Amino acid sequence: MSHEIRTPLNGVVGFTELLKNSGGMTDIQKEYAQNSYISANSLLGIINDILDFSKIEAGKLELDEIKTDIIELAEQACDIVKFNINKKNLELLLNISHDVPRFAVVDPLRLKQIIINLLGNAVKFTDSGEIEIKIGFNKNDDSNGEFFFSVRDTGIGIPEKQKNNLFQAFSQADKSVSRKYGGTG
């Protein structure tokens, strides 16, 4: 199923990127091509999330352990949401603690997905102000440690009594905001 969905969408992404990088377009055509490219990548991300959720439910999700540049990965995740941040005239802050190692063995695809999802939600629920992603690290021993990622925004927030609804499948803290912001929980 994943190939049947991803293959044509990868074609859309690839050909849109080729169009975007071709010459002879007006500024408005370049903007349309860029928006198409961003939209296609967003749709691909949603499809990947759905397929991953299916794998998790089936107990078949396997993590790839790859030596990864953590700072570059965070910057790439920020770049993906930057278009929507600029559209809303928000400020994006990337706050990386001085003790964060540059490289770590992680699943870069999954980690980037998580960061993009957190940033995407922050953008969705923030109309003005800023969004900050913080990355910290606690060293356990010479070769192991724990990374910490957090996202803070100046958005609408979640009332204390509704926080128990978080992280429940297809549940929203405040169902009335889904009319304004969309989403299924």
Side-chain angles (χ1 to χ4, degrees):
M1 173 74 101
S2 67
H3 293 309
E4 286 81 1
I5 295 171
R6 286 184 183 137
T7 300
L9 191 52
N10 280 325
V12 171
V13 170
F15 282 109
T16 306
E17 186 171 19
L18 288 172
L19 175 64
K20 195 172 72 114
N21 294 328
S22 66
M25 288 194 293
T26 66
D27 287 343
I28 195 75
Q29 288 172 326
K30 288 177 189 174
E31 184 179 337
Y32 290 163
Q34 178 67 18
N35 288 343
S36 296
Y37 179 74
I38 290 168
S39 295
N41 274 303
S42 294
L43 182 56
L44 185 59
I46 291 166
I47 289 169
N48 286 336
D49 289 348
I50 291 167
L51 293 170
D52 283 348
F53 187 73
S54 298
K55 285 181 188 176
I56 291 168
E57 288 288 303
K60 301 289 185 186
L61 183 68
E62 294 178 18
L63 299 177
D64 292 327
E65 295 182 354
I66 300 169
K67 184 178 179 182
T68 304
D69 184 329
I70 297 297
I71 295 170
E72 183 179 316
L73 182 136
E75 289 172 345
Q76 289 171 356
C78 289
D79 286 343
I80 289 172
V81 298
K82 208 174 264 183
F83 177 78
N84 289 329
I85 285 173
N86 290 338
K87 220 164 57 168
K88 291 178 99 173
N89 202 26
L90 301 171
E91 184 176 3
L92 176 62
L93 307 170
L94 177 56
N95 183 348
I96 302 172
S97 178
H98 70 281
D99 57 349
V100 169
R102 181 88 194 208
F103 294 93
V105 176
V106 299
D107 185 326
L109 179 65
R110 302 293 188 268
L111 181 55
K112 191 189 304 185
Q113 249 180 322
I114 292 166
I115 294 170
I116 291 167
N117 287 346
L118 291 170
L119 289 171
N121 277 338
V123 173
K124 183 182 196 179
F125 293 105
T126 304
D127 290 326
S128 64
E130 66 186 25
I131 296 168
E132 176 186 33
I133 177 167
K134 268 180 139 171
I135 303 173
F137 182 76
N138 284 340
K139 189 173 183 175
N140 293 339
D141 58 41
D142 286 341
S143 61
N144 292 299
E146 296 174 341
F147 286 88
F148 295 92
F149 298 84
S150 67
V151 175
R152 178 191 59 79
D153 62 63
T154 55
I156 63 173
I158 301 170
E160 203 59 45
K161 66 181 183 176
Q162 294 177 337
K163 288 186 179 178
N164 289 337
N165 291 341
L166 292 176
F167 305 109
Q168 303 300 318
F170 307 110
S171 174
Q172 290 185 326
D174 181 356
K175 290 166 185 46
S176 68
V177 300
S178 65
R179 286 187 298 278
K180 180 176 180 184
Y181 296 104
T184 58

